[in-house]
Amino acid sequence: MITGGQSFVSSPPAFSNDGKKLLVCTGATVSVFSTSTGLQVTELEGHTDRVTSVVVVPVTGPASKFMSFCWTSSLDGNVCYWDFAASELVKKVNVQLPIWSMVIPNMPNAIVQSNEKSSSLYAFLSVEDTSKSADQQKALVGQIQIFNLRNARRVGGLLAETRKPECITMSNSGEFLGIRNKRKLHIWRVPSKDFKYDEIKKIKLHHTKNLSALAFHPTERIVAGGDVTGRILIWRGFGRKMFSESLHPHSREKFRNEEERPGVRGNDDSDSCSTWHWHPSEVKFLVFSSDGAYLYSGGREGVLVVWQLDTGKKKFKPRLGSPLLYFSASSDPSLSCISCADNQIHLVKMPSVDILKSISGIKPPFAVPDVCEGLNGGVVFDHSSGSVVLRTENYCIQFFSLLDNLEASQVQVCERNHQPVDDVMVVVQLIALSRDGSIMATVEVKLPEEGIGGLVNLKFWAQGSKTGEYSLSTVIYEPHSESGISALAFRPDNCMAVTSSFGGDFKIWVNSSDVQRKDQILQKSGWRCRSVGAYKKRPMTAAAFSSDGSVLAVAAETVVTLWDPETNVLVAVIGDSFTPIVALSFVGDLEYLISVSRGSRPQLVVWNLLKLSMHWSYMLSVEAVAASGGDGSKFAVLACPTREANAREQDGIILLFEVDDPVPMSTWSVKKARGGNLAFLSSNLFPQNPNVTERRSSPLLVYVNGDHEFEVFDPHGNQSQIGRVHRKNPAVAEEPMRFGYESIYGELPEFDLKKDQIPEIPFAPSDRPWETIFSGPSHVLPPLTKLCSTFLESILERNTTLKD
């Protein structure tokens, strides 16, 4: 089995100590990427549920052997210790509760190897108490606990209980920890030496809105908080009373009677509180620069804001293309990364915030109007390259490699600037690829604004020299007048395509470069409409070609019409389903056809085309259907509970059928089935297990769920024949690490200081030398010592001494 499509931005990433690698939480694994190339180097496998935190062990001295160690936490309740350079799991600690966040202050780097008591390592965990039901009103399921990772024991009681698990933020020094809890900040001071639970002190800072972000200043007692309305609050001098060890309790009480502190609410322990406001919506992250002079903030508008802490002045890095989620800094002040909501991580050069590399995962699904929602959720497959093809929110089409789990390319469908805060006004409704991937067709819908200005475009694209590279060939505006397009499909020989319309007709399109005039002169290359068909003015809701291209099936609401695509002649009409048909698919040769209906009475029907009658059917709500292709007689169905069902609505089942038999051959329960899709792909596109001599011939089944996570497996159960995919690239060339001047301004140019390449400056005497001594550019003038002596000699007379 091959899996992939995990989110790269479910949790903040972490840099290695040398800044050469970036550790990214990807589902139940941690992927390690090279920061110089943006390619995956290795993968850490050991957790069984989503990884939520990565903490790199800092290097406090010359102990280079600890350069590549890290701790990870997961929803499986385990904390793991890794050597990520060798992809080796060193130690696993079971906490027995799902862990949502983890920080480790005052971390020694030899914790695993040392058996001394002083090597105790305390982790602060945000866990979920699974013994409490989340449905209970005001149930406090989130807990902040302390865990000794050396002896795998919990320390002390609970630091806090919250309605849901909260993210823990730690200061650079490890002295302060904090969480957001509705309209309050909880801040703890942790003893740096001789840790004792009862010596942990806590304060609360209050606000009028729910807080969404938190950051500590690297050197001063300043904490920043962002709220859901876009405001940023700066508390200065927090904890001056509670956290000051030298103060007596009576002295602390005296501080409460001081003059009113500006901006501070109630008895909050802070000297002052100031407010900044630029973001129009929720602040997603706050991070101080390494020197503490600047504060970085980001949110839904996709703009990085750089605030000057002393003055409150700001500058911007706009057009990052997607809402911002996290900002992570490395030990190199010139290198940071920004995690975006479109499952992309940008490696940026600081302080200019120029994007150096981008690590792109599969694009997440996004909400589209119901009128643009198709059966496959905007997901199709490239059978020639083994890629999944899906629409993106920024009017693009992404080609994503199922084998490499990386983006292959993007095609810009609509030349329009995308702003994350804008409403969706343009949607790529349909995508179709020819069998060999040489031609792509898209349907682009521009939604009307207040009922005015809607537009439907049909575009044909020609493939370039590489997979996923396409150039626009033909644009057809309003191909079905003002009606929307319900289906788009290519004939297997690539020379013909069909579109069906809710307006009551379908059109057959051909490539005009394949059509010659009588004078044998080729027309200009492009696609044109060759014929139009209709059936009783009914809306045409689905269309498909047979495997040999000789038959075209078009659904006219509840019936299926069969046509000869060459002559556009109606051959037969079959069936009468309960609700409109939304998908058609041929199985094998020309003997069977599958139809899928949705609505109040969903139905899956297998039609016998030789007898022009129903073969068998199920009352089943189908999300996707896929035929094995060629002369194969198998097909797979992704089914969900009916849309009226409330329980576990996203989960479903995959059923594998032999077309003659209504009893499924195999079934698989799957999660997140709503909005998913299926496809059979050739087994030659994926690696063969080297330990299996028998050559695999049957196609593999690909399942993409509603979150665009995917699995590739053998539907016949021969999983041992699929080669294990280790997405590692240890041969990735690493660029040398730069420090100092080079890390900020780049490498210095090389200068050749050979004397034969430097023109010599003549010092020949002349009658009027003072006129030419200072002529020429300043950078070629001789040294001042030579200039001075020559100048003085030119204005003084030389007295000759005569000898007797």
Side-chain angles (χ1 to χ4, degrees):
M1 180 183 293
I2 300 173
T3 60
Q6 302 89 349
S7 173
F8 288 2
V9 295
S10 60
S11 301
F15 283 94
S16 60
N17 287 295
D18 57 4
K20 293 183 178 180
K21 295 180 176 63
L22 183 68
L23 284 70
V24 180
C25 300
T26 51
T29 65
V30 176
S31 300
V32 183
F33 292 88
S34 167
T35 57
S36 60
T37 64
L39 299 178
Q40 185 171 328
V41 177
T42 187
E43 194 173 29
L44 308 181
E45 299 176 296
H47 288 289
T48 58
D49 206 337
R50 182 166 70 86
V51 179
T52 55
S53 301
V54 178
V55 180
V56 176
V57 176
V59 177
T60 57
S64 60
K65 64 179 180 178
F66 299 111
M67 180 71 76
S68 59
F69 285 80
C70 70
W71 291 89
T72 60
S73 65
S74 169
L75 295 181
D76 63 7
N78 292 317
V79 177
C80 294
Y81 185 66
W82 305 85
D83 179 357
F84 60 82
S87 302
E88 179 183 355
L89 176 61
V90 180
K91 183 178 181 179
K92 180 180 286 189
V93 179
N94 188 7
V95 180
Q96 298 181 347
L97 289 174
I99 305 170
W100 289 86
S101 180
M102 175 181 71
V103 295
I104 307 177
N106 310 316
M107 188 192 310
N109 54 19
I111 177 62
V112 174
Q113 286 75 11
S114 176
N115 292 320
E116 300 178 4
K117 186 177 179 179
S118 60
S119 65
S120 294
L121 184 64
Y122 298 98
F124 287 70
L125 308 176
S126 175
V127 300
E128 180 182 0
D129 186 358
T130 54
S131 63
K132 299 179 180 179
S133 174
D135 297 332
Q136 295 177 0
Q137 189 175 9
K138 297 183 179 180
L140 301 177
V141 299
Q143 297 179 353
I144 305 298
Q145 298 183 359
I146 305 176
F147 212 81
N148 189 338
L149 297 179
R150 180 176 178 272
N151 55 24
R153 292 183 179 179
R154 180 176 157 185
V155 178
L158 299 178
L159 292 181
E161 287 187 287
T162 56
R163 292 286 298 275
K164 60 182 180 66
E166 299 289 348
C167 178
I168 307 176
T169 303
M170 183 178 69
S171 64
N172 288 358
S173 63
E175 183 181 6
F176 300 106
L177 307 176
I179 64 169
R180 314 174 309 271
N181 185 13
K182 294 185 177 180
R183 300 180 181 184
K184 298 186 291 291
L185 292 184
H186 297 248
I187 299 177
W188 293 271
R189 183 179 181 272
V190 181
S192 57
K193 295 181 180 180
D194 300 328
F195 175 85
K196 293 182 180 179
Y197 172 78
D198 55 3
E199 293 182 359
I200 299 176
K201 300 176 182 179
K202 174 184 177 181
I203 66 170
K204 294 181 182 179
L205 300 176
H206 296 77
H207 183 40
T208 58
K209 302 294 182 181
N210 287 340
L211 292 158
S212 57
L214 166 65
F216 289 100
H217 193 278
T219 57
E220 302 178 23
R221 283 197 178 180
I222 300 176
V223 62
D227 69 15
V228 294
T229 67
R231 288 183 291 178
I232 298 174
L233 292 90
I234 308 295
W235 285 276
R236 300 176 186 268
F238 70 89
R240 186 163 64 93
K241 309 165 192 175
M242 180 61 68
F243 295 157
S244 297
E245 298 177 354
S246 60
L247 289 181
H248 240 226
H250 297 289
S251 300
R252 295 194 187 107
E253 186 65 30
K254 180 180 178 181
F255 276 116
R256 289 191 174 92
N257 298 324
E258 291 180 348
E259 296 180 1
E260 184 177 353
R261 294 150 295 166
V264 179
R265 297 181 61 83
N267 292 325
D268 285 358
D269 193 354
S270 177
D271 291 342
S272 66
C273 180
S274 55
T275 303
W276 298 336
H277 197 178
W278 179 86
H279 296 278
S281 56
E282 178 181 354
V283 178
K284 283 295 186 180
F285 68 76
L286 292 172
V287 178
F288 283 96
S289 60
S290 58
D291 59 1
Y294 297 95
L295 176 67
Y296 305 110
S297 65
R300 182 172 177 264
E301 63 283 336
V303 177
L304 179 68
V305 185
V306 183
W307 303 83
Q308 191 173 16
L309 190 62
D310 292 338
T311 64
K313 294 181 178 179
K314 54 189 175 295
K315 55 183 180 179
F316 310 95
K317 175 64 176 178
R319 296 185 180 180
L320 291 174
S322 180
L324 309 185
L325 299 179
Y326 309 111
F327 183 97
S328 304
S330 71
S331 57
D332 181 0
S334 66
L335 179 63
S336 298
C337 73
I338 301 174
S339 302
C340 300
D342 63 351
N343 205 19
Q344 191 165 215
I345 300 176
H346 298 298
L347 297 169
V348 296
K349 181 180 180 180
M350 303 300 292
S352 61
V353 201
D354 294 330
I355 297 178
L356 302 174
K357 298 284 183 181
S358 293
I359 301 172
S360 299
I362 196 166
K363 297 301 180 185
F366 61 97
V368 298
D370 293 338
V371 67
C372 300
E373 187 63 62
L375 182 72
N376 53 30
V379 178
V380 298
F381 297 89
D382 184 356
H383 293 262
S384 63
S385 64
S387 299
V388 59
V389 185
L390 59 155
R391 62 190 177 195
T392 68
E393 194 172 7
N394 60 342
Y395 323 125
C396 292
I397 292 176
Q398 183 189 43
F399 285 75
F400 193 85
S401 172
L402 296 172
L403 180 61
D404 299 328
N405 197 34
L406 285 175
E407 178 183 278
S409 67
Q410 280 195 41
V411 178
Q412 185 76 37
V413 175
C414 176
E415 297 296 334
R416 177 169 175 169
N417 291 331
H418 170 69
Q419 297 296 333
V421 295
D422 292 346
D423 294 332
V424 175
M425 298 307 299
V426 179
V427 178
V428 180
Q429 180 188 4
L430 298 172
I431 308 169
L433 285 167
S434 61
R435 195 71 184 179
D436 60 359
S438 62
I439 306 171
M440 178 175 68
T442 60
V443 174
E444 165 194 326
V445 178
K446 295 183 179 180
L447 302 177
E449 299 182 18
E450 298 182 357
I452 302 174
L455 181 66
V456 178
N457 296 334
L458 173 62
K459 296 181 178 180
F460 290 92
W461 307 76
Q463 188 180 36
S465 57
K466 296 181 180 179
T467 300
E469 289 187 358
Y470 287 86
S471 59
L472 185 60
S473 170
T474 307
V475 181
I476 299 141
Y477 299 102
E478 299 285 6
H480 292 270
S481 299
E482 297 181 356
S483 302
I485 298 177
S486 59
L488 172 64
F490 279 101
R491 198 165 77 166
D493 58 7
N494 306 337
C495 65
M496 184 179 293
V498 62
T499 57
S500 60
S501 166
F502 294 110
D505 63 354
F506 68 89
K507 293 186 178 182
I508 294 178
W509 308 86
V510 294
N511 194 339
S512 58
S513 62
D514 298 330
V515 181
Q516 293 185 350
R517 295 181 179 179
K518 295 181 180 180
D519 54 6
Q520 301 299 313
I521 300 177
L522 290 178
Q523 298 181 10
K524 185 177 180 181
S525 177
W527 289 76
R528 65 177 182 85
C529 178
R530 197 188 71 174
S531 56
V532 181
Y535 181 76
K536 296 183 178 181
K537 297 182 180 181
R538 291 188 177 186
M540 298 297 190
T541 55
F545 283 99
S546 62
S547 58
D548 62 358
S550 61
V551 177
L552 171 63
V554 182
E557 275 192 321
T558 58
V559 300
V560 179
T561 60
L562 302 178
W563 303 75
D564 182 347
E566 292 293 343
T567 60
N568 200 31
V569 173
L570 180 63
V571 177
V573 178
I574 59 174
D576 192 6
S577 61
F578 300 116
T579 54
I581 297 170
V582 296
L584 295 171
S585 180
F586 283 88
V587 181
D589 293 331
L590 293 176
E591 189 173 354
Y592 295 101
L593 176 69
I594 304 169
S595 68
V596 174
S597 302
R598 280 183 179 174
S600 58
R601 300 181 67 180
Q603 191 177 21
L604 170 71
V605 182
V606 177
W607 304 95
N608 189 321
L609 298 184
L610 299 181
K611 299 179 181 179
L612 297 178
S613 63
M614 179 187 296
H615 193 51
W616 55 267
S617 69
Y618 276 119
M619 297 293 291
L620 199 62
S621 178
V622 176
E623 282 292 316
V625 61
S628 57
D631 56 356
S633 59
K634 299 179 179 62
F635 69 96
V637 171
L638 175 63
C640 286
T642 58
R643 292 184 176 267
E644 288 75 22
N646 295 321
R648 299 180 61 83
E649 184 174 288
Q650 285 191 333
D651 295 344
I653 188 171
I654 298 176
L655 304 103
L656 180 66
F657 290 98
E658 182 74 35
V659 69
D660 282 329
D661 190 356
V663 179
M665 299 173 58
S666 302
T667 60
W668 300 270
S669 296
V670 293
K671 295 182 178 181
K672 306 174 185 177
R674 186 75 69 200
N677 201 4
L678 294 172
F680 284 94
L681 296 181
S682 171
S683 58
N684 297 327
L685 298 171
F686 302 95
Q688 177 91 9
N689 191 335
N691 299 323
V692 178
T693 57
E694 181 182 356
R695 186 63 187 172
R696 186 179 62 224
S697 58
S698 60
L700 301 180
L701 185 61
V702 183
Y703 165 57
V704 179
N705 67 21
D707 284 348
H708 293 173
E709 299 168 338
F710 61 82
E711 295 180 4
V712 183
F713 61 97
D714 189 338
H716 302 288
N718 299 322
Q719 305 303 330
S720 61
Q721 291 190 351
I722 304 177
R724 177 64 176 159
V725 177
H726 294 280
R727 296 186 176 103
K728 302 179 181 181
N729 192 3
V732 172
E734 296 285 352
E735 293 183 359
M737 197 65 183
R738 296 177 177 178
F739 299 94
Y741 179 93
E742 290 187 356
S743 67
I744 300 176
Y745 299 104
E747 188 176 354
L748 284 169
E750 295 183 1
F751 296 97
D752 193 353
L753 300 179
K754 294 181 180 180
K755 291 184 177 180
D756 56 353
Q757 294 184 3
I758 301 177
E760 295 185 359
I761 301 173
F763 296 98
S766 63
D767 295 337
R768 304 169 66 87
W770 56 84
E771 295 181 355
T772 58
I773 286 178
F774 299 105
S775 63
S778 60
H779 67 276
V780 299
L781 289 177
L784 184 60
T785 54
K786 290 187 177 182
L787 277 176
C788 185
S789 60
T790 305
F791 176 71
L792 292 176
E793 287 180 3
S794 68
I795 61 176
L796 296 176
E797 292 185 5
R798 185 185 297 272
N799 292 328
T800 58
T801 303
L802 299 176
K803 293 183 180 181
D804 294 338

